[in-house]
């Protein structure tokens, strides 16, 4: 799973299996943002919307547990 940590200096800083990588923004969809999950494909990368939603739900559940 490739997760976008942040965007800086023309690159997306991502974590892929706990390894940090910098991917040039021109190889990513124009709508990419922090927290997106990327999938490698023939012409670069695409955003996995289902995985993004699942991560958001997991994070919300963790927040609920922390702040109860």
């Amino acid at each position: 799973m490739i997760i976008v940590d942040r965007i800086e200096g023309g690159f997306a800083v991502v974590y892929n299996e706990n390894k940090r990588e910098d991917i040039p923004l021109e190889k990513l969809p124009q709508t990419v943002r922090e927290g997106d999950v990327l999938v490698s494909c023939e012409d670069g990368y695409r955003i996995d919307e289902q995985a993004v939603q699942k991560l958001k739900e997991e994070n919300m559940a963790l927040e609920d547990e922390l702040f109860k």
Side-chain angles (χ1 to χ4, degrees), residues 50-64:
Q50 289 180 333
V52 171
Q53 185 60 37
K54 184 177 177 183
L55 279 178
K56 285 181 183 179
E57 290 169 2
E58 290 172 359
N59 287 337
M60 286 174 36
L62 287 173
E63 284 181 22
D64 288 345

Side-chain angles (χ1 to χ4, degrees), residues 17-64:
E17 302 293 327
N18 295 323
K19 294 180 184 175
R20 181 180 180 264
E21 296 179 41
D22 295 338
I23 300 175
L25 289 176
E26 62 264 8
K27 292 188 177 185
L28 301 176
Q30 289 183 350
T31 60
V32 71
R33 60 183 188 261
E34 294 174 1
D36 281 347
V37 178
L38 303 174
V39 177
S40 182
C41 55
E42 284 183 23
D43 56 346
Y45 296 88
R46 67 174 177 80
I47 299 170
D48 185 338
E49 297 293 343
Q50 289 180 333
V52 171
Q53 185 60 37
K54 184 177 177 183
L55 279 178
K56 285 181 183 179
E57 290 169 2
E58 290 172 359
N59 287 337
M60 286 174 36
L62 287 173
E63 284 181 22
D64 288 345

Side-chain angles (χ1 to χ4, degrees), residues 1-12:
M1 183 180 302
I2 304 168
I3 300 174
V4 178
D5 182 59
R6 63 188 178 278
I7 308 289
E8 61 181 38
F11 290 88

